[in-house]
Amino acid sequence: MLNLVLFGPPGAGKGTQAILLAKTFNLVHISTGDLLRQEIAAKTELGRVAGELIDKGELVSDEIVISMIEARLKKPRCTVGFIFDGFPRTVAQAQALDKLLTKHHSKVSVMLCLVVEKEELINRLHIRGLTSGRCDDLETSTIEHRIDIYNEKTSPLIKYYDTQGKYFPIHGMGTIDEITENLTQAVKRFHTKPQAAVSK
Ligand code: AMP
């Protein structure tokens, strides 16, 4: 199976690019942000708890997101693999994902990390906030807080995957098409080589 973790700070373009890569490589796209927003729209108790945290730019608990992923992976489906978007966001989530995939006789193939300058992230999130109406993209203080949380809790995953030889930084500046091309080339390079022979 080809299991991709699409990684990067808020505003790096993970959602947009994950949809495109899922189409190109025939993968099932799993976005924890989308799953949480579905819970909010359905007005569930989980959605109420998550919504309060999301609006403040905080992470939702590991327990909640891990159980959502567990439920998604249990759904029977015929696929060549998954693309995880916005998950994992903590080391505990990455460890849980490894365990869950092992249960399914699979593993993370590669972590593609979109590298984007902070100023560009803030610009992109502001623009998205104006068009999508997402509260967490509107306030500069919330955006900055999300980037701080990324640096503190999520960026340690770079080391986590690098230690396993699975970390691939991808230039994430430029047009959507240019970034898609960078990602596609990286996946193809990875996809056609046996795992042990992959180099950065
Ligand atoms: P995203 O759509 O990936 O930008 O996620 C929007 C928000 O949902 C994040 O700022 C978090 O509050 C929450 N969220 C999404 N995925 C996770 C996750 N894996 N762990 C914790 N919180 C998450």
Side-chain angles (χ1 to χ4, degrees), residues 137-164:
D137 288 340
L138 280 170
E139 292 287 329
T140 306
S141 58
T142 313
I143 290 174
E144 297 233 347
H145 185 58
R146 286 164 65 202
I147 295 173
D148 289 345
I149 297 263
Y150 169 83
N151 289 330
E152 183 193 331
K153 297 192 173 155
T154 307
S155 67
L157 288 179
I158 291 174
K159 191 167 170 223
Y160 181 87
Y161 286 109
D162 198 21
T163 309
Q164 300 179 24

Side-chain angles (χ1 to χ4, degrees), residues 6-57:
L6 189 56
F7 192 82
K14 299 185 294 295
T16 307
Q17 296 295 341
I19 292 169
L20 296 168
L21 286 180
K23 263 196 201 146
T24 306
F25 294 99
N26 200 18
L27 303 170
V28 172
H29 173 209
I30 301 185
S31 152
T32 40
D34 286 351
L35 293 174
L36 291 166
R37 282 184 288 275
Q38 282 165 19
E39 296 285 341
I40 294 169
K43 298 196 184 327
T44 63
E45 176 57 16
L46 190 157
R48 189 191 61 74
V49 173
E52 284 177 12
L53 293 162
I54 291 174
D55 287 350
K56 285 191 267 181

Side-chain angles (χ1 to χ4, degrees), residues 17 115-116 120 124 171-180 182:
Q17 296 295 341
V115 181
V116 182
E120 173 72 8
R124 287 186 192 173
H171 185 61
M173 304 279 287
T175 64
I176 291 178
D177 284 352
E178 284 164 353
I179 300 165
T180 308
N182 297 343

Side-chain angles (χ1 to χ4, degrees), residues 3-194:
N3 295 314
L4 308 180
V5 169
L6 189 56
F7 192 82
K14 299 185 294 295
T16 307
Q17 296 295 341
I19 292 169
L20 296 168
L21 286 180
K23 263 196 201 146
T24 306
F25 294 99
N26 200 18
L27 303 170
V28 172
H29 173 209
I30 301 185
S31 152
T32 40
D34 286 351
L35 293 174
L36 291 166
R37 282 184 288 275
Q38 282 165 19
E39 296 285 341
I40 294 169
K43 298 196 184 327
T44 63
E45 176 57 16
L46 190 157
R48 189 191 61 74
V49 173
E52 284 177 12
L53 293 162
I54 291 174
D55 287 350
K56 285 191 267 181
E58 301 288 340
L59 292 184
V60 174
S61 75
D62 287 339
E63 204 187 352
I64 288 181
V65 286
I66 291 165
S67 63
M68 284 191 328
I69 292 285
E70 190 169 12
R72 293 291 287 185
L73 293 182
K74 267 189 198 150
K75 280 191 184 174
R77 51 164 62 91
C78 181
T79 177
V80 290
F82 296 93
I83 179 161
F84 296 96
D85 155 17
F87 179 88
R89 263 178 158 99
T90 63
V91 171
Q93 291 179 19
Q95 289 167 337
L97 179 62
D98 284 347
K99 272 196 197 149
L100 287 171
L101 288 175
T102 304
K103 264 198 217 165
H104 291 265
H105 311 289
S106 193
K107 61 186 170 186
V108 169
S109 313
V110 65
M111 183 263 235
L112 301 168
C113 176
L114 289 166
V115 181
V116 182
E117 285 163 17
K118 184 174 175 186
E119 231 175 77
E120 173 72 8
L121 295 175
I122 295 175
N123 272 339
R124 287 186 192 173
L125 289 170
H126 269 308
I127 294 167
R128 189 169 79 184
L130 293 173
T131 53
S132 73
R134 270 180 62 170
C135 299
D136 55 338
D137 288 340
L138 280 170
E139 292 287 329
T140 306
S141 58
T142 313
I143 290 174
E144 297 233 347
H145 185 58
R146 286 164 65 202
I147 295 173
D148 289 345
I149 297 263
Y150 169 83
N151 289 330
E152 183 193 331
K153 297 192 173 155
T154 307
S155 67
L157 288 179
I158 291 174
K159 191 167 170 223
Y160 181 87
Y161 286 109
D162 198 21
T163 309
Q164 300 179 24
K166 294 180 179 176
Y167 162 66
F168 283 67
I170 303 288
H171 185 61
M173 304 279 287
T175 64
I176 291 178
D177 284 352
E178 284 164 353
I179 300 165
T180 308
E181 184 59 18
N182 297 343
L183 286 163
T184 305
Q185 289 310 322
V187 178
K188 278 187 183 161
R189 236 175 38 227
F190 176 82
H191 205 25
T192 52
K193 287 183 185 179

